[in-house]
Amino acid sequence: MISRTESEASFILVNEQTKPYESYAHDWSAAGTGGRLYVHGRHFVDGYGRVCNLRGVNLSGNCKTPVNHDHDSFPANHADVTFVGRPFPLEDAPDHFARLRRWGLTFIRFLITWEAVEHTAPGVYDMEYLDYVRQLLSMMPQYGLVCFVALHQDVWSRYTGGSGAPAWTLEAVGFDLHGLEEPGAAWLKGVKGGGHTEDERGLWPCGYQKLAAATMATCFWAGDKFAPKLKVKAPGGRELSVQQFLQESFLNMWEVIAKTLGDLEAVIGFEVMNEPHRGYIELQSMHAFDYNTDLHLGHVPTAFQSFMLGAGHPTSVGYWTRSFPMPTRRTSKRVINTAGLKAWRDDGPTQGKCLWELHGVWGWDQKKNEGVVLRENYFKRDPDTGKEVDWYTDFFYPFVNKWAARVRAASSPDKIVLCEPIPNEFCPKSWTADRRPPNMVFAPHWYDLNALFLKAFGDFSVNVQGLSRGMFPLKAFYWGQKGARENFTLQIRNIVEHGYRSLGETPVIIGECGIPMDMNKKEAFETDRWDWQLKMMDAMMTALERAMIGFTLWNYNPDNDDHTGDDWNGENFSWFSQKRALPSSWLDHKQTSPTLDNGGRILRAVVRPYPAKTAGIPLRFEYEINTGEFTYEWVVPETGATASVPAPGSSPSEPSVYNPPGTGMPALRTNKTQIFLPWQLAQGRKVVVQRLRQDDRWTYDEARQTLTIITSDNTPGTVHRVTVSVDPLPKPVFVVNDFWDDFQGHVLVAGAIFSIIVAFCISWLFS
C-alpha cells in the first residue's frame, strides 16, 4: 500500500477509509462512482468530482426482431410476437456481462422497441417482457454496468422494412400490411431474411423515402397540420386526430417503461427515439428527394410517384445504381406495380383512398388517365397559414420536451435524457436552451458512409460527410491507415464540435458507431484474417479517443453468425458471435479470464486502454495499437466562473474538443485518476509509467485491469501528463502507412524521369 503525503490527505476516496468495496476503473455502479453519475458541462462526473469517459456497446441488434420471428410467415401473426429473451436469456446474462466487463465496455445502450412493449393493441402492454427486462437490468451493477434505455426504430417499423413501431400503428392510418411491397410502399425482403446479395445490399435505408414509412413519420410528428382529416378511435372509444393518437400511445408506452425500469440503479437515463426522420415534412418537391441527404439505390420513387403507386396506379420509376465519384446515378426506368395493387385498406379510415389524395395534395385526372400534383408546397408550408415549417422547431423540440417531462415524472426528475438529430445531420443551431429539456445529452451517430455503402474498406478512404457539404473532392480523399485515422477524426470532431456550438457545454455520446464484419466480399469469413476490419475499427476508435467523448459501439449481438450476420436487413456488425464462443460451463467470469474472449473478433482494436475516471479535465489522449503505448494529459480544474484551457493554435472563443472549460467544475474529492488498462495488453509484461512528477505515485491492479495514478500537485491549472507502455512490446498488427510510405519510390522515380526529360528539352532548345 502506498503511503500518502500531506498534500494527498485532502483527496481521499470515501471507500478507501472503510474498505467496504474494491472498485475498478470501468465500474459505473453506485459503489464504484461514489454514489452516482451526473452531467456537468460537457462531462459526465462521478460522486468524487472526477470526469468519466463512458465506453460500451449497443445491446443488442437482435432486439429489433422478436424471438419467434418467422421469415416465411412475416408479416402474419403480428399481435402474437414476443421479445422475452432479447437480447439473451436471463441465465446467460452473467456470461455476457462478465465478458463486457473484461473488455472495459461497461456503458450500455439498451435497446427496446415500441413493438416489444405494445405489440398486441393500443394500451395492451407486454408486462412479461418488461418484467424480463427489469430482471436483466437489475443484474448489471454486479458487473459494474450501467445503461440508458433507448427506444429503437429504423424506417418506422418491421412492417415497413425496419424495426420499431407495432403493426397496429400502420393499420390505424389505413395501410394494408400485406399490400405494401408490390406498390413499392415498403421494401420488406431485408426483414424476411434477405439483404445479403449484391442487388439487395443497402436497399433498406431507402425505405425512409417510401410511402409507408414517410407517411407514418409525417402523421406522427405533424398529423394535425398535414393530415387533419384522419381521425382514429383510441381505446375507450375516443376519436382523436392521427397525431394525437400516435403520440399519446407513444408517450403512454414510454410512461410504462419509465415506471417499470426507472428506479433501477443501472438505469441512468432514457433515449427518446433512435434516428428520427421527418417523413415528408419540409419536402421541397413532390418530384424529387434531396440527393445529398436521402439514399437513392434501386427503385426510388419520388413522393408523387409513391402516392400514385400506393393508390394502385402502375408508374414508371427511376432505378439507381452505384457509381463513382458520386455514390449513385439513375441508370434506367421501369414501370412497377403492374398488377395495380393498393397499399390502402378498403375497410380502413381512408376507405381505401390514398391519405394524401384525401387531403387534396394530388389527384387522378380521369380524362387524361394520369396523376396530377395539386399542392406542390403542401409539406413545405403550413397548409393553413402558408408559413414555412421547420421540423425541428415546430414538431421535434416540443415533443421531446413533452416526452422528457413524462418519463421523469414516472421515474425520477434527475434522469438523464438523450436525444439525437436526423442521421447524418449536424446538431441544428436552433436547439437553444429554451427548446430542450434540462440534463440532456446529445447522442448522435457516426458511420463511415463510404464503407457502409460499398461494404468495403482498403487503403483509399473518402470523407462523405465533407463531400455532401461541398468539400473540394481532392481534400476528401485519404490514403493508408494514417489517412483513415485523420479522415475519421475530422468527421467525428465535426459532429462533436457542432454539438458544442449549438448546445453549449453539453455532453456528447456517440450512440452508434461501428464497422461491417462482412466487408470486402466476406473474405475474412473464408480466411479468418480480419486485417481490414482491425484497421477500420482502429481508425474509428482512434478518432473517438481524439475527440475525448464516450460512445456505445454497434453492436454486441450474441445471435450473430457468419452466414446470417445480425439477421436483419443483411447487416453484420457484431464483432462477437456466440457460435464462435466457448460453452457457458467452460467460462470463468473473472476479469483475468481469457475464456471470455472466445467468440470475439478484432479484440485488439476494440479492447483498448482509456482514462475512465480522471481527477481533472481530459485534454489529450492518444493510443497506438501496434506498440500498446498511450499518452494522456489532463488539467486540475478551478471552481467558479466558466473559462477555457486553450489548445495551441485554437481560438478560445470557438468550442473545441481540445479547449474544454477549465473552471466551473465541482470540487474534487480525490486525486486518484483511474485508467482501464486491459489484461490482454499487460499480462506477462512490465507496465512502464513515465513523465509523472517526482512525488506522484501509481499502481496497476491486474485483476481489476486498473492503473491508478495519484497526483501530488493538485493546484488548479496544473497539467498532468503520463505516458504508459508495456515491456516487451506487443506484436504489431499492421503497418500504419500513408501515401508517401507506399509510393515514395514511385514518386522519386517519376520525379527523376521528369527532371531528365526537362533537362533534355532545355539542352535541345539551346543546342
Side-chain angles (χ1 to χ4, degrees):
M1 182 69 183
I2 297 174
S3 60
R4 298 188 184 89
T5 65
E6 289 185 8
S7 65
E8 295 168 2
S10 61
F11 291 90
I12 303 172
L13 289 183
V14 175
N15 62 14
E16 269 196 346
Q17 295 175 311
T18 59
K19 288 290 183 184
Y21 180 76
E22 296 270 4
S23 183
Y24 45 92
H26 47 300
D27 177 6
W28 306 118
S29 68
T33 56
R36 62 173 180 155
L37 277 172
Y38 64 99
V39 167
H40 186 94
R42 70 170 63 176
H43 305 294
F44 287 91
V45 181
D46 72 2
Y48 304 111
R50 294 180 295 185
V51 171
C52 299
N53 183 3
L54 305 174
R55 291 190 181 191
V57 298
N58 280 262
L59 196 64
S60 159
N62 64 2
C63 291
K64 296 182 179 185
T65 54
V67 294
N68 59 343
H69 173 76
D70 185 338
H71 292 318
D72 296 327
S73 63
F74 179 83
N77 307 315
H78 55 80
D80 300 324
V81 299
T82 177
F83 287 74
V84 176
R86 293 293 196 209
F88 38 69
L90 290 174
E91 59 268 24
D92 294 343
D95 297 345
H96 298 294
F97 291 165
R99 183 176 290 114
L100 291 171
R101 177 179 61 181
R102 171 171 164 81
W103 294 346
L105 300 172
T106 45
F107 182 58
I108 306 302
R109 184 177 186 241
F110 189 83
L111 307 185
I112 283 180
T113 64
W114 187 356
E115 182 186 14
V117 180
E118 198 178 6
H119 47 82
T120 302
V124 180
Y125 305 110
D126 190 338
M127 297 310 298
E128 181 186 2
Y129 167 72
L130 289 175
D131 181 62
Y132 153 78
V133 173
R134 181 177 176 84
Q135 292 182 65
L136 186 67
L137 301 188
S138 296
M139 301 168 65
M140 283 186 170
Q142 301 172 44
Y143 300 88
L145 275 65
V146 296
C147 73
F148 62 98
V149 176
L151 204 288
H152 206 83
Q153 76 85 38
D154 311 270
V155 197
W156 183 258
S157 171
R158 272 199 309 145
Y159 304 93
T160 50
S163 67
W168 53 258
T169 60
L170 285 107
E171 293 180 326
V173 172
F175 282 116
D176 179 357
L177 295 180
H178 299 274
L180 299 179
E181 288 186 279
E182 179 66 23
W187 186 73
L188 302 181
K189 193 170 184 179
V191 294
K192 293 180 176 181
H196 300 279
T197 64
E198 183 67 20
D199 61 329
E200 297 168 354
R201 176 165 54 87
L203 290 182
W204 75 263
C206 300
Y208 280 109
Q209 301 147 244
K210 296 186 185 298
L211 176 66
T215 295
M216 294 305 303
T218 306
C219 288
F220 180 85
W221 297 112
D224 288 349
K225 286 288 183 191
F226 299 113
K229 296 180 181 180
L230 183 57
K231 306 297 181 182
V232 180
K233 283 202 172 179
R238 294 178 303 147
E239 189 173 76
L240 301 175
S241 70
V242 66
Q243 177 182 329
Q244 290 175 313
F245 171 73
L246 291 172
Q247 290 193 357
E248 185 176 292
S249 298
F250 184 88
L251 293 172
N252 290 342
M253 174 268 307
W254 251 116
E255 186 173 343
V256 172
I257 293 174
K259 283 182 177 178
T260 307
L261 307 177
D263 65 322
L264 296 176
E265 177 189 335
V267 180
I268 68 169
F270 302 106
E271 182 181 0
V272 57
M273 180 186 291
N274 178 74
E275 298 188 355
H277 196 271
R278 53 172 60 89
Y280 292 128
I281 302 167
E282 294 186 68
L283 184 69
Q284 299 300 301
S285 172
M286 295 290 179
H287 303 284
F289 288 97
D290 187 342
Y291 185 79
N292 289 321
T293 58
D294 299 299
L295 180 63
H296 290 57
L297 193 61
H299 286 106
V300 181
T302 66
F304 178 43
Q305 290 169 346
S306 292
F307 300 158
M308 292 189 292
L309 287 165
H313 302 292
T315 304
S316 179
V317 174
Y319 188 85
W320 297 72
T321 56
R322 288 175 169 81
S323 64
F324 187 85
M326 300 304 291
T328 63
R329 61 188 178 91
R330 197 178 75 179
T331 54
S332 63
K333 295 180 71 175
R334 196 185 84 187
V335 175
I336 63 174
N337 195 17
T338 55
L341 299 182
K342 292 194 302 182
W344 303 94
R345 292 166 40 225
D346 290 332
D347 61 347
T350 67
Q351 299 298 300
K353 194 171 186 178
C354 171
L355 176 63
W356 307 118
E357 186 178 9
L358 188 68
H359 283 83
V361 180
W362 72 285
W364 189 259
D365 189 324
Q366 297 292 345
K367 291 183 178 179
K368 295 183 178 180
N369 196 33
E370 64 182 18
V372 180
V373 173
L374 301 176
R375 305 179 73 175
E376 171 68 17
N377 294 323
Y378 186 74
F379 297 107
K380 184 179 177 181
R381 300 180 180 276
D382 186 314
D384 297 321
T385 67
K387 179 183 175 182
E388 285 199 11
V389 297
D390 179 89
W391 178 77
Y392 283 110
T393 58
D394 295 336
F395 309 112
F396 182 62
Y397 301 154
F399 180 78
V400 167
N401 280 290
K402 185 186 296 185
W403 164 80
R406 286 282 291 270
V407 297
R408 283 174 169 158
S411 56
S412 169
D414 62 353
K415 287 293 181 188
I416 296 168
V417 293
L418 298 96
C419 305
E420 60 180 291
I422 291 172
N424 307 319
E425 292 189 3
F426 288 146
C427 184
K429 294 180 180 179
S430 59
W431 213 344
T432 51
D434 59 313
R435 288 172 169 158
R436 62 179 185 265
N439 213 25
M440 189 189 93
V441 170
F442 183 51
H445 297 175
W446 180 86
Y447 292 97
D448 177 19
L449 297 180
N450 185 60
L452 256 62
F453 185 62
L454 298 176
K455 270 208 176 176
F457 183 76
D459 278 319
F460 177 70
S461 62
V462 181
N463 182 346
V464 176
Q465 179 193 89
L467 282 177
S468 66
R469 290 165 172 81
M471 177 182 283
F472 181 62
L474 291 181
K475 291 185 67 176
F477 300 151
Y478 295 80
W479 184 266
Q481 188 66 8
K482 288 181 185 176
R485 289 176 176 178
E486 292 170 3
N487 179 8
F488 294 179
T489 295
L490 176 61
Q491 292 187 52
I492 291 175
R493 183 179 172 183
N494 279 339
I495 292 173
V496 174
E497 291 181 347
H498 272 82
Y500 293 155
R501 289 174 197 145
S502 297
L503 304 174
E505 291 300 312
T506 297
V508 179
I509 286 282
I510 301 296
E512 284 185 23
C513 50
I515 71 165
M517 302 306 299
D518 59 343
M519 61 190 182
N520 298 348
K521 299 183 179 179
K522 304 183 181 181
E523 64 181 14
F525 295 122
E526 301 295 329
T527 64
D528 209 33
R529 292 181 57 88
W530 304 86
D531 299 351
W532 289 114
Q533 286 85 349
L534 270 165
K535 285 187 172 185
M536 186 175 176
M537 180 65 81
D538 168 74
M540 186 185 76
M541 295 287 278
T542 298
L544 292 163
E545 289 161 354
R546 289 173 177 173
M548 306 299 297
I549 54 168
F551 52 87
T552 48
L553 297 172
W554 186 271
N555 82 108
Y556 179 94
N557 183 354
D559 290 344
N560 178 281
D561 65 39
D562 294 355
H563 177 63
T564 61
D566 294 323
D567 200 21
W568 181 86
N569 273 310
E571 287 198 346
N572 194 336
F573 281 82
S574 179
W575 28 265
F576 172 76
S577 171
Q578 186 65 56
K579 291 189 176 181
R580 289 173 167 248
L582 294 174
S584 180
S585 59
W586 293 18
L587 299 182
D588 179 349
H589 290 167
K590 294 186 181 69
Q591 293 193 45
T592 55
S593 173
T595 62
L596 294 169
D597 294 342
N598 291 86
R601 313 178 182 110
I602 64 170
L603 293 184
R604 185 84 176 267
V606 174
V607 182
R608 304 155 72 96
Y610 66 93
K613 300 165 183 169
T614 301
I617 299 173
L619 297 177
R620 298 282 192 286
F621 183 80
E622 189 79 25
Y623 173 64
E624 176 49 57
I625 186 175
N626 287 297
T627 63
E629 181 177 292
F630 65 86
T631 298
Y632 183 42
E633 296 183 11
W634 68 99
V635 63
V636 180
E638 299 181 22
T639 57
T642 302
S644 292
V645 180
S650 67
S651 168
S653 62
E654 188 75 6
S656 167
V657 299
Y658 298 132
N659 65 325
T663 64
M665 293 293 290
L668 279 168
R669 294 174 54 208
T670 181
N671 58 348
K672 285 192 171 183
T673 291
Q674 291 182 302
I675 297 172
F676 172 72
L677 182 56
W679 181 91
Q680 293 97 317
L681 181 60
Q683 197 273 331
R685 297 184 175 94
K686 178 183 177 182
V687 176
V688 180
V689 180
Q690 297 174 302
R691 301 179 71 184
L692 290 177
R693 286 178 167 81
Q694 184 175 355
D695 294 329
D696 294 345
R697 299 290 184 267
W698 66 271
T699 59
Y700 178 60
D701 185 340
E702 185 175 286
R704 294 178 176 82
Q705 306 185 96
T706 298
L707 173 66
T708 301
I709 296 174
I710 306 169
T711 52
S712 57
D713 184 357
N714 296 287
T715 306
T718 301
V719 175
H720 295 286
R721 299 177 181 86
V722 62
T723 297
V724 179
S725 58
V726 293
D727 183 26
L729 297 178
K731 182 180 178 181
V733 287
F734 49 69
V735 175
V736 183
N737 62 318
D738 61 11
F739 183 85
W740 187 248
D741 293 332
D742 291 347
F743 297 101
Q744 177 180 359
H746 297 80
V747 171
L748 292 176
V749 169
I753 293 173
F754 179 76
S755 299
I756 292 170
I757 293 172
V758 170
F760 174 80
C761 291
I762 292 174
S763 64
W764 180 80
L765 286 172
F766 290 96
S767 61

